[in-house]
Amino acid sequence: MCGIVGYVGPGSSIDVLLGGLKRLEYRGYDSAGVAILDESGELATRKRAGKLSVLTDDLQEAPIADGRTGIGHTRWATHGGPTDGNAHPHLGDGGRLALIHNGIIENFAELKQELLDAGEAFESETDTEVAALLVGRAYRETGDLQAALRSVVNRLDGAFTLLVMHRDEPGVVVGARRNSPLVIGLGDGENFLGSDVAAFVEHTRRAMEIGQDQLVAIRPDSVEVTDFAGAPVEAKEFEVAWDASAAEKGGWPSFMKKEISEEPDAVANTLRGRIVDGAVVLPELEPLAGALADIDRIIVIACGTASYAGMLGKYAIEAWARVPVDVELSHEFRYRDPVLTSRTLVVSVSQSGETMDTLMAVKYAREAGARTLSICNAQGATIPRESDAVLYTHAGPEVAVASTKAFVAQATALYLLALHLAEVRGVSTEEQAAERLEELQALPEKLAAVVESSSARIAELAGWMGDTQSVLFLGRHVGYPIALEGALKLKELAYIHAEGFAAGELKHGPIALIEPGQVVFVVVPSPREPSSLHPKVVSNIQEIRARGARVIAIAELGDVAVVPFADEVIRIPLAAPLVEPLLAVVPLHIFGMELAAAKGLDVDQPRNLAKSVTVE
Ligand code: M6R
């Protein structure tokens, strides 16, 4: 939820921290702050409510001295509103120590009382200040920052990444993590810490994972990782697969626009190297190799957009591999005592790989004996590390809070999984597999065609709808998750009422919402399949049209049957029924973005949200 950066080295700490925070701002953007240890040994902090630009402007107007050790934070408020005082860093040891935090300290109230009883004074309403004061007190006893942080972490319940620095230990930043992300960036004579690699990829692509319940101390020439008991740990090094330019806007008006334009590449890169001689090759699934032929049930767990990708996966896995699949919201999953066995495969889907609800659900499933597979976009994230195997999507960094390219990449990975399962379970013929693979391989080009053909018209439509108060989305079968996705995008970006419905459900209640002028997007299935739902969806369109709805249909090229009943038809190329929704979603992504833009809203950073939801 919050973004964290740490730096030690000869460079300008202020530049490194502000650059890192800029790239992490998608994680939270209601306040930001930095702490720098300057050359004279003074610890200076500056923190401001509002977006990072408020802090940056403030530092420009009234600079603080630069130095070689620093920490920076961009916040998504949990305890205490977004004010200057609640922004991080928080201080301990009489202002000699600065600390930043991502997560929630669940037992902060009792720890706060203990500190108040001991005579400590609080300057904020945050749970974080408890940690700053505790580490400060521990430092006074030990005189050793690592030891001080180590002595405190085991007293904290909940989720946390903590970074701490002390004016008496220049050139050192110490971090600790539990259920919250932290990665190390390895430089030349300088080292970095960040909530994700975006924090430092501008300076180095060499990175290191930090495991659960581990502590790290970075100095310009060394990195030391230990567990919470102090035993050394060998951390795994990896190379960041993308460079800083991939996470830059690069001339686009918004990250979201850029990322929609990258949907074709996201699919192409997720397929790349995984189709060899007409067969799906997924060596990443090796840790599950013995189990996949025997699983009798799959549960997909995910939140938000990722859960809609999971729904698409359900259709594909059931149709192609004939394994029953349930899709559940991660935060509901473990609270209903689900039946899990060693023959259950729990597939988590998460762009960030850090969503706390999903992480907790994965841990729960593992402890209950199920097999776990992570479908994830972010390298070095926690969920893949907590799973038996990981299938990475290769969508590249997704910066806009609203997920777009990650969605099509997640669905693509799930389709590959479906094909692989069909093969290992012997339920598909070579011809079927070849046909399906061909469809997937044709997808990037078709996606590019939709981006190209629909952008201008959708922008026009959105431009006329700046005052619209409500938009509905209808779909059936694989069109249903697309309707849900279209509605979610509109809620989070344009802040208007939007609902997605299974079109067949309309007559069971939602049709009462239709009044003259109500805008309804309808995802129309292809009429070419013999068992197609096309006639039924066209009937649904007629039903709402008869009640005054303004229908915008998303239909395949050449579908003329829909024309008399729609006010507007957005065309998508012909594709197989299971692949078609990935084309239909593009105009809806564009619509959400354009309507938000037409309303003058911040497309990349919608209010109240954060990209990576690392609290439950
Ligand atoms: O990082 P994740 O894929 O686990 O995130 C899941 C959801 O929080 C995310 O998809 C969210 O719904 C997006 N803001 C939707 O655009």
Side-chain angles (χ1 to χ4, degrees):
M1 261 2 233
C2 304
I4 275 183
V5 197
Y7 176 69
V8 284
S12 154
S13 285
I14 293 183
D15 287 353
V16 172
L17 297 180
L18 292 179
L21 291 179
K22 185 79 212 128
R23 291 182 199 283
L24 293 182
E25 203 184 7
Y26 68 87
R27 300 179 66 87
Y29 35 84
D30 60 36
S31 50
V34 292
I36 310 273
L37 195 52
D38 71 23
E39 297 305 307
S40 68
E42 285 309 310
L43 180 66
T45 60
R46 180 68 54 81
K47 45 194 204 168
R48 288 289 174 263
K51 293 205 170 171
L52 181 62
S53 55
V54 178
L55 175 72
T56 311
D57 291 349
D58 192 274
L59 283 168
Q60 244 158 29
E61 271 167 38
I64 55 176
D66 210 343
R68 294 164 183 229
T69 314
I71 55 179
H73 187 267
T74 178
R75 180 170 187 245
W76 185 86
T78 55
H79 290 68
T83 61
D84 287 356
N86 288 332
H88 301 207
H90 291 281
L91 302 178
D93 193 14
R96 285 182 287 272
L97 171 147
L99 177 145
I100 54 178
H101 168 218
N102 174 29
I104 289 182
I105 299 168
E106 287 169 359
N107 58 336
F108 93 101
E110 66 194 68
L111 294 171
K112 184 168 183 173
Q113 193 53 54
E114 177 188 313
L115 287 161
L116 287 169
D117 292 345
E120 296 283 357
F122 281 78
E123 289 177 3
S124 78
E125 304 150 297
T126 63
D127 52 342
T128 304
E129 198 176 1
V130 160
L133 292 171
L134 283 173
V135 181
R137 288 169 75 84
Y139 188 85
R140 283 206 288 270
E141 281 167 26
T142 58
D144 175 335
L145 197 53
Q146 269 168 277
L149 184 57
R150 188 174 296 119
S151 72
V152 169
V153 284
N154 282 319
R155 300 198 60 204
L156 308 179
D157 293 340
F160 52 82
T161 298
L162 299 168
L163 293 195
V164 60
M165 56 191 274
H166 195 286
R167 55 166 286 178
D168 295 345
E169 289 198 32
V172 186
V173 173
V174 182
R177 70 168 288 256
R178 168 179 289 166
N179 293 332
S180 181
L182 184 62
V183 277
I184 307 166
L186 302 169
D188 196 4
E190 57 183 356
N191 287 305
F192 309 79
L193 291 169
S195 297
D196 76 41
V197 296
F200 49 73
V201 72
E202 190 183 349
H203 307 282
T204 179
R205 287 171 67 176
R206 283 175 60 218
M208 241 181 189
E209 295 177 354
I210 306 174
Q212 175 74 333
D213 284 1
Q214 289 179 1
L215 202 124
V216 56
I218 56 164
R219 296 178 176 81
D221 294 314
S222 71
V223 167
E224 189 185 349
V225 184
T226 60
D227 62 20
F228 278 1
V233 170
E234 201 156 326
K236 199 170 125 205
E237 196 177 319
F238 65 96
E239 172 96 5
V240 181
W242 44 274
D243 64 18
S245 65
E248 301 281 355
K249 242 190 249 176
W252 291 87
S254 66
F255 277 108
M256 189 174 173
K257 192 157 194 163
K258 172 178 181 249
E259 287 159 11
I260 291 172
S261 82
E262 289 169 346
E263 290 192 35
D265 288 345
V267 171
N269 291 336
T270 300
L271 293 174
R272 198 176 310 286
R274 287 170 166 164
I275 300 174
V276 181
D277 297 334
V280 177
V281 179
L282 299 174
E284 306 94 315
L285 298 189
E286 191 54 37
L288 291 168
L292 289 184
D294 275 341
I295 49 164
D296 60 6
R297 183 178 176 215
I298 293 177
I299 305 177
V300 179
I301 49 170
C303 300
T305 287
S307 74
Y308 306 146
M311 288 168 76
L312 293 177
K314 171 185 166 79
Y315 288 102
I317 296 168
E318 290 191 340
W320 296 342
R322 307 303 297 154
V323 187
V325 183
D326 295 307
V327 182
E328 285 213 40
L329 294 170
S330 314
H331 35 90
E332 290 295 314
F333 168 70
R334 70 192 171 115
Y335 295 105
R336 64 166 177 81
D337 198 11
V339 178
L340 300 169
T341 71
S342 59
R343 296 183 69 195
T344 313
L345 176 67
V346 172
V347 180
S348 64
V349 185
S350 174
Q351 187 286 131
S352 62
E354 299 293 348
T355 298
M356 182 60 78
D357 293 312
T358 306
L359 172 62
M360 288 303 162
V362 169
K363 285 186 173 183
Y364 177 92
R366 254 190 127 174
E367 278 160 23
R371 309 299 182 127
T372 53
L373 168 66
S374 154
I375 292 186
C376 180
N377 193 44
Q379 281 178 290
T382 308
I383 294 173
R385 287 208 302 271
E386 295 289 330
S387 305
D388 296 321
V390 54
L391 198 52
Y392 278 108
T393 52
H394 296 299
E398 193 180 63
V399 178
V401 165
S403 191
T404 53
K405 63 176 178 172
F407 172 75
V408 289
Q410 286 161 346
T412 303
L414 284 158
Y415 284 15
L416 286 173
L417 174 66
L419 291 169
H420 180 71
L421 285 171
E423 195 185 313
V424 296
R425 297 166 76 85
V427 292
S428 64
T429 63
E430 267 180 37
E431 294 72 41
Q432 283 172 325
E435 207 176 297
R436 291 163 188 164
L437 283 172
E438 213 174 292
E439 276 288 342
L440 283 182
Q441 284 175 304
L443 190 53
E445 203 175 314
K446 293 180 186 177
L447 279 167
V450 185
V451 176
E452 171 74 28
S453 66
S454 64
S455 293
R457 183 61 185 151
I458 294 277
E460 235 169 14
L461 291 173
W464 296 331
M465 285 192 218
D467 295 332
T468 304
Q469 294 302 312
S470 160
V471 179
L472 303 181
F473 295 81
L474 299 183
R476 281 188 90 136
H477 189 253
V478 281
Y480 173 42
I482 301 307
L484 296 173
E485 167 67 357
L488 177 60
K489 288 289 103 90
L490 217 51
K491 282 184 253 204
E492 71 178 325
L493 292 166
Y495 317 152
I496 63 172
H497 169 250
E499 292 291 329
F501 297 109
E505 188 64 10
L506 208 62
K507 54 192 174 298
H508 299 285
I511 198 163
L513 291 169
I514 305 293
E515 54 185 31
Q518 170 69 55
V519 176
V520 185
F521 276 84
V522 184
V523 180
V524 183
S526 164
R528 290 170 297 124
E529 294 294 309
S531 58
S532 168
L533 285 161
H534 182 270
K536 292 197 168 49
V537 172
V538 172
S539 299
N540 294 143
I541 293 178
Q542 285 170 286
E543 287 154 17
I544 55 171
R545 226 359 195 17
R547 289 160 178 85
R550 187 168 161 223
V551 174
I552 304 173
I554 299 174
E556 73 172 24
L557 286 162
D559 176 356
V560 284
V562 77
V563 174
F565 310 111
D567 295 275
E568 181 79 32
V569 183
I570 303 294
R571 295 294 183 182
I572 55 173
L574 276 57
L578 287 174
V579 172
E580 203 171 44
L582 294 181
L583 300 172
V585 81
V586 174
L588 301 188
H589 284 165
I590 298 172
F591 182 68
M593 172 185 71
E594 294 293 357
L595 189 55
K599 293 180 75 175
L601 299 171
D602 186 335
V603 168
D604 288 335
Q605 296 180 341
R607 70 183 177 201
N608 302 340
L609 294 175
K611 177 98 185 135
S612 178
V613 184
T614 54
V615 293
E616 274 189 276

